[in-house]
Amino acid sequence: MIKSSGPNSTDFVKNVMSQVSSLVETTYGPYGGFVILSNGDTSFATKDGVSVVRALVSDNTLEQAVVKVIQEAALNTLAKAGDGTTTTIVLANKILEYFHPSDYMRKDAILATIKKNIRKKSVPVDINSDKLKTVALTATAGDEELSAAIIEAFKKAEESGISGIIAEPKIGDTTHVETVKGVSFIGNMIDNIFFDSQDNRTKTVKDGYILFSSSEISGEDDIVELITTCVNSGIKDLILIAPSFAMTSLSALAINHKVSINVTAMVIDGGDAASTKMAIEAIATAVGAKIVGEESGIDIGDVTADMLTKIGKMTIKNKSVTISGEDSGDPELISQYIDRYEKKLRVVSSDEERDKFKTLISILKKKMIKVIVGGNTLNSITERKDRADDCINSVELSLKGGVVPGAGRAYINMASGSGCRSNIDEAAEKVSIIINGGKVDGSKVETLDPTIVAETVAEQALELAFILGMTKSVVLTQ
């Protein structure tokens, strides 16, 4: 039997769209509140629209089919602009209420007019502009401490020529900006015995020798061979970095640690094999170190003393690692990697990918700007970290493409002159009222949004509303 919503499902689709919009708009704008998300085992409160959108699930399979289409449009906005998921859904819902089928074949022309009208309201900003401060305050939902720290970070990044800024949450810390000089990255010590202080999880290595592997380090005999080579060469501190270590190699390293040699053994976890490989390549390139392993055809046991690279100083605090003191690495090769990753950074489609390439570039430039996002609880810093990421993205896009009036005002009269029969302008006015907590005069409080976000939201909302407006049936397939 065919399972479908019937031959004319316009009302069904509109009802699902309305339900989704009503849910996500509860987090919306300066008057928005929290939504508690639960998977049955754990729960957390958030004002982050992206988290709510991703979590949406209906126990009705036909409704879920429509929810998936809505999620895709909202996440397309996120991928292209880094923000605007909630606005995409709320604006699409209002446009859908006024949709006229005759506009569907003219949607490209209507969208062109909308973008033109939005750009007319756009003004450029620079790093010292008061308008940029307003963008940051808007993106952090009025968090003055966090927005000020992010603006400070951008100023330091501009002075230093750093391509990206990383937000790092820390429980019990204050919100502040850190400039980390040297090759800074996240590494996991494979066992606490390799720390100087196991309680504080800290270690300092001076004038140590470092080696990277692109594949798992395994084999007790190979470790013994490597340590013997180091001892015979007068090397007292050995640092090994790899994607993973086999238990046999861990045992051999632990037995010899502080007996034959001082060992530091850590893994780099990029989240997937390709990202881990890129991270190891970047760190090794930055310090001018050798990479052995399966790809190079060199086993750990075959490593000679001249394959090890001396570093000035390595400091480790929990998972934060910084290598400093030696001006090493091939400048031409480093420059090639930086150029490659900066090109990737311009086209990636998610916050995770952006953070990854920002980190790789900072590693290679041997300087990193961090916004330490402080808070007293895991829930509070998780929510503030989400807002920090939104703010960093909004400031970047504003510097790139200018800003438009916020609180939905950029969309007012956006369809003027398009000749469309759908009353998009009335829909946009209602969105502005929703953002401002039901207040028609909410625009008295100045807020600003990146022009690029406003254009992307308008594009995805129009496309979503028109597709749903023309949907006549929802059919489940296998």
Side-chain angles (χ1 to χ4, degrees), residues 20 86 92 117 139 158 199 263 277 289 318 323 340 472:
V20 172
T86 303
N117 288 335
E158 185 175 68
D199 291 336
V263 175
K277 178 184 175 183
N318 199 4
I323 300 173
R340 181 190 305 172
K472 300 303 179 186

Side-chain angles (χ1 to χ4, degrees), residues 80-95:
K80 292 181 179 181
D83 197 10
T85 51
T86 303
T87 309
T88 297
I89 291 174
V90 176
L91 181 58
N93 181 51
K94 291 303 175 186
I95 293 174

Side-chain angles (χ1 to χ4, degrees), residues 331-341:
E332 185 176 344
L333 184 58
I334 290 172
S335 180
Q336 289 175 5
Y337 271 102
I338 290 172
D339 288 345
R340 181 190 305 172
Y341 293 147

Side-chain angles (χ1 to χ4, degrees), residues 252-462:
L253 289 168
I255 290 170
N256 285 278
H257 177 53
K258 292 187 176 180
V259 177
S260 305
I261 194 170
N262 182 29
V263 175
T264 302
M266 61 177 57
V267 297
I268 303 295
D269 182 8
D272 57 69
S275 297
T276 299
K277 178 184 175 183
M278 291 169 71
I280 289 175
E281 283 181 349
I283 301 165
T285 301
V287 301
K290 186 84 174 176
I291 301 177
V292 299
E294 292 177 358
E295 290 189 12
S296 67
I298 303 172
D299 292 330
I300 286 290
D302 297 328
V303 170
T304 56
D306 62 344
M307 293 181 185
L308 302 173
T309 300
K310 186 179 180 180
I311 62 169
K313 181 181 179 181
M314 172 184 269
T315 55
I316 306 168
K317 185 176 181 180
N318 199 4
K319 295 181 181 181
S320 296
V321 185
T322 303
I323 300 173
S324 57
E326 289 284 335
D327 189 15
S328 54
D330 181 345
E332 185 176 344
L333 184 58
I334 290 172
S335 180
Q336 289 175 5
Y337 271 102
I338 290 172
D339 288 345
R340 181 190 305 172
Y341 293 147
E342 285 182 339
K343 288 177 182 176
K344 296 264 190 186
L345 185 60
R346 288 193 286 268
V347 298
V348 292
S349 60
S350 69
D351 286 342
E352 291 81 4
E353 288 289 289
R354 274 188 283 271
D355 276 350
K356 179 176 77 176
F357 287 110
K358 284 180 189 177
T359 301
L360 292 173
I361 292 166
S362 296
I363 287 169
L364 291 159
K365 288 190 173 183
K366 305 178 186 180
K367 186 177 285 187
M368 180 178 290
I369 308 293
K370 292 182 179 180
V371 176
I372 304 302
V373 181
N376 295 320
T377 66
L378 178 60
N379 197 71
S380 67
I381 64 167
T382 299
E383 196 265 331
R384 287 190 90 203
K385 167 65 163 58
D386 288 337
R387 283 190 275 134
D389 287 338
D390 286 346
C391 183
I392 290 169
N393 182 69
S394 292
V395 171
E396 284 180 346
L397 292 178
S398 297
L399 290 169
K400 181 180 179 181
V403 297
V404 291
R409 291 172 294 165
Y411 308 111
I412 294 175
N413 296 323
M414 65 180 182
S416 177
S418 67
C420 65
R421 297 182 67 181
S422 306
N423 200 338
I424 294 174
D425 287 340
E426 186 169 338
E429 287 185 19
K430 289 192 174 182
V431 169
S432 183
I433 293 171
I434 291 169
I435 295 174
N436 290 291
K439 299 179 181 180
V440 178
D441 61 348
S443 59
K444 288 181 179 179
V445 178
E446 184 185 20
T447 57
L448 295 169
D449 294 327
T451 305
I452 294 170
V453 173
E455 289 181 341
T456 306
V457 165
E459 178 181 14
Q460 294 298 319
L462 190 78

